[in-house]
Amino acid sequence: MAGGVAGVCVDLILFPLDTIKTRLQSPQGFNKAGGFRGIYAGVPSAAIGSFPNAAAFFITYEYVKWFLHTDSSSYLMPVKHMLAASAGEVVACLIRVPSEVVKQRAQVSASSGTFHIFSNILCQEGIQGLYRGYKSTVLREIPFSLVQFPLWESLKALWSWRQDHVVDSWQSAVCGAFAGGFAAAVTTPLDVAKTRIMLAKAGSSPASGNVLSALHGVWRTRGLSGLFAGVFPRMAAISLGGFIFLGAYDQTRSFLLELGRESP
């Protein structure tokens, strides 16, 4: 429940920044992809997918952390957080990818409705079309989570140690913002590759889902600036997203745990 609430909050609040980032990364360029017009195109897909996607991630993340229980002072703690985050992303992407495919295609063709895009994908490409870019999304999300979640947990632990009590929700949110922004910057090329694969026409070379091939194509045509296209809106969105997402998660989780303790 806490993860689902956090996911809906962050996706709906930051949707315009995500649209701008997607259009900056699209093959036709920002202006031809829609510029600043129809900035909420694709929002129904994000709204439907947000709750189950984030809920699936945190159910898996917290379970794997519990399953791999180690002493809090152990040097293996970051490894535990990395494994838990990676497992969470693999499961969450089963829900996230279809939602992301529909959302990103709507973002670069704002004149088409979300349901129309969804039905077109099913008719022309089948279920495989909805999972176009699954591997590239997982290959983007796992490195992202390998950086973000151990950094978030470490910053919270350091802050807790400095003030001699567990961090408040707003402090967890600040740690989430820093961890998210840093992870976003270093994984932007993988995000560019994922966007190109999801937006590619069926049957084209990028549509095959080969991440290295997609990265090479961007490097060849647009160089280093192409690989980091959209890095600033991505960093801004994910820093704000980390603040809202991880802060809302901790706040909702604390509230629900307190509610559970008070119940007879």
Side-chain angles (χ1 to χ4, degrees), residues 61-72:
Y61 179 69
E62 295 291 354
Y63 175 77
V64 174
K65 279 205 314 182
W66 168 81
F67 183 76
L68 298 174
H69 177 70
T70 57
D71 185 80
S72 59

Side-chain angles (χ1 to χ4, degrees), residues 62-156:
E62 295 291 354
Y63 175 77
V64 174
K65 279 205 314 182
W66 168 81
F67 183 76
L68 298 174
H69 177 70
T70 57
D71 185 80
S72 59
S73 61
S74 171
Y75 65 93
L76 292 174
M77 281 294 284
V79 176
K80 180 179 83 169
H81 295 144
M82 288 178 179
L83 290 172
S86 299
E89 292 297 355
V90 170
V91 173
C93 281
L94 293 171
I95 301 166
R96 182 182 307 153
V97 170
S99 170
E100 186 92 348
V101 169
V102 175
K103 180 197 73 174
Q104 290 203 318
R105 294 193 188 185
Q107 286 173 328
V108 298
S109 55
S111 58
S112 300
T114 299
F115 182 75
H116 177 70
I117 290 171
F118 174 75
S119 56
N120 269 358
I121 293 170
L122 278 181
C123 290
Q124 295 172 15
E125 303 178 55
I127 294 294
Q128 299 97 316
L130 289 174
Y131 280 92
R132 165 99 65 83
Y134 177 81
K135 287 188 292 184
S136 61
T137 304
V138 170
L139 286 173
R140 178 199 66 174
E141 295 296 353
I142 287 180
F144 179 86
S145 293
L146 288 178
V147 176
Q148 184 189 33
F149 280 88
L151 185 55
W152 176 55
E153 300 274 14
S154 298
L155 289 171
K156 286 198 301 177

